[in-house]
Amino acid sequence: MKVAITAQEPNLDSTVEPRFGRCPYFILMDTEKNAVEAIANDGAGSGGGAGIAASQALINRGVKAVITGQVGPKAMRVLQEAGIRVYHATSMTVRAALEQWQQGKLTEIS
């Protein structure tokens, strides 16, 4: 399963970025392969539609769960329609957010 975490920097020790559509990076964790990849969010600086563009980019990469601070209503609709579950995490590192998600300690955003 692929999980995407919004991040301020391109590494596991980065702080979770609270904004989904305008986060600078996504950290992608493939839980089956135990592989980590950081990708820049190309839509972060766009004038509009950043959340929808970010959602589509993650859908295209096969992501099944997102960990972030908040998601706008349009982006949330796109994620939900794709079957992607969204979890809330702030004020922690990406590594800590992943650990809490794996332990079932993060709240799902609906």
Side-chain angles (χ1 to χ4, degrees), residues 16-105:
V16 172
E17 169 61 45
R19 301 168 301 164
F20 173 72
R22 301 217 180 265
C23 72
Y25 299 96
F26 290 105
I27 306 297
L28 303 181
M29 174 70 174
D30 186 326
T31 61
E32 294 171 9
K33 297 178 182 175
N34 201 28
V36 178
E37 175 186 12
I39 59 169
N41 179 8
D42 295 334
S46 68
I52 293 172
S55 299
Q56 192 59 55
L58 297 181
I59 291 166
N60 292 346
R61 288 185 171 268
V63 168
K64 298 297 180 196
V66 170
I67 301 170
T68 189
Q70 62 184 15
V71 179
K74 292 177 184 175
M76 180 61 98
R77 189 170 341 123
V78 172
L79 292 170
Q80 288 176 331
E81 287 174 1
I84 297 173
R85 298 176 81 169
V86 182
Y87 298 87
H88 182 262
T90 57
S91 304
M92 66 180 75
T93 66
V94 169
R95 186 183 313 274
L98 272 169
E99 289 171 3
Q100 288 195 15
W101 174 76
Q102 289 172 321
Q103 296 168 6
K105 294 182 178 178

